[in-house]
Amino acid sequence: MQLLLAPLAGLFGGGAAATGAAATGAAATGAAAAGSGFSLASILQGTATVLGVVSAIGAGNAEATQNELAASDAEAEKPLETLQGISRRTSIKRQMAEALGAQDVAYAGSGVDLSFGTAKEARSDAYREADLGLATATGTEMTRISRLTERAAAYRAAAKSARRMGFLNALTGGIDNALSFGERG
């Protein structure tokens, strides 16, 4: 208030009084600023605190995004694994048909009846091997798809944890700096 009135007092002849009042006001303002701890160091510390909080949250979000992308990649591999499983089963069926054809030609060429005996047993063995191969291929496909699902879930859980840790780091960093600021002044 005195600082605002000082120039007016100078106009009306109170120059010395106004100068003294202005000096007193400036000193009081400086003392109040020093007493409250409000200084360049305080401003810099506050800015560093805010930047640290924003940085911690940003780091947590960046890690979470990376994990979510990895989860999406794992999910995207599932249809590919299904196609590979179909391809494996088709290959097994083709190999079985070729083996049966070769056996039939060999036995028929030797004049053996294909409906009983060794020829029939060989045919049954070929079917059993094909069934085992098909069951194994199906089991492999299901296991791989299940593992991809589990991997995607683990990545999503890691993303959620990374976000939480980012916020927790921001909170603890902010509190630590606020306590440090409080101790200074």
Side-chain angles (χ1 to χ4, degrees):
M1 175 91 171
Q2 290 176 347
L3 288 175
L4 294 174
L5 296 177
L8 292 176
L11 289 175
F12 297 113
T19 304
T24 304
T29 304
S36 69
F38 185 73
S39 66
L40 181 59
S42 298
I43 292 171
L44 291 175
Q45 183 177 4
T47 302
T49 300
V50 170
L51 290 176
V53 166
V54 170
S55 177
I57 291 172
N61 285 339
E63 186 178 345
T65 299
Q66 185 178 13
N67 285 326
E68 287 170 351
L69 290 172
S72 294
D73 284 346
E75 289 288 337
E77 286 181 40
K78 289 165 55 174
L80 178 62
E81 186 57 46
T82 299
L83 291 174
Q84 289 174 346
I86 291 169
S87 177
R88 285 189 293 269
R89 288 190 299 275
T90 301
S91 176
I92 291 169
K93 290 175 185 177
R94 186 178 321 117
Q95 290 172 358
M96 181 192 71
E98 289 172 1
L100 287 175
Q103 285 176 1
D104 288 349
V105 168
Y107 285 120
S110 66
V112 175
D113 186 4
L114 299 175
S115 61
F116 68 94
T118 305
K120 184 176 179 184
E121 286 300 317
R123 192 174 196 69
S124 294
D125 287 344
Y127 279 116
R128 266 193 295 275
E129 285 181 35
D131 285 343
L132 178 62
L134 291 171
T136 301
T138 300
T140 300
E141 176 187 345
M142 299 308 288
T143 299
R144 288 181 178 173
I145 288 175
S146 176
R147 288 179 60 200
L148 288 169
T149 301
E150 290 171 3
R151 188 181 313 159
Y155 280 129
R156 285 193 179 94
K160 191 174 184 180
S161 177
R163 272 205 182 84
R164 265 195 230 127
M165 288 306 296
F167 283 117
L168 182 63
N169 288 340
L171 180 65
T172 58
I175 290 172
D176 185 43
N177 282 329
L179 291 175
S180 172
F181 184 74
E183 288 174 1
R184 283 185 46 213

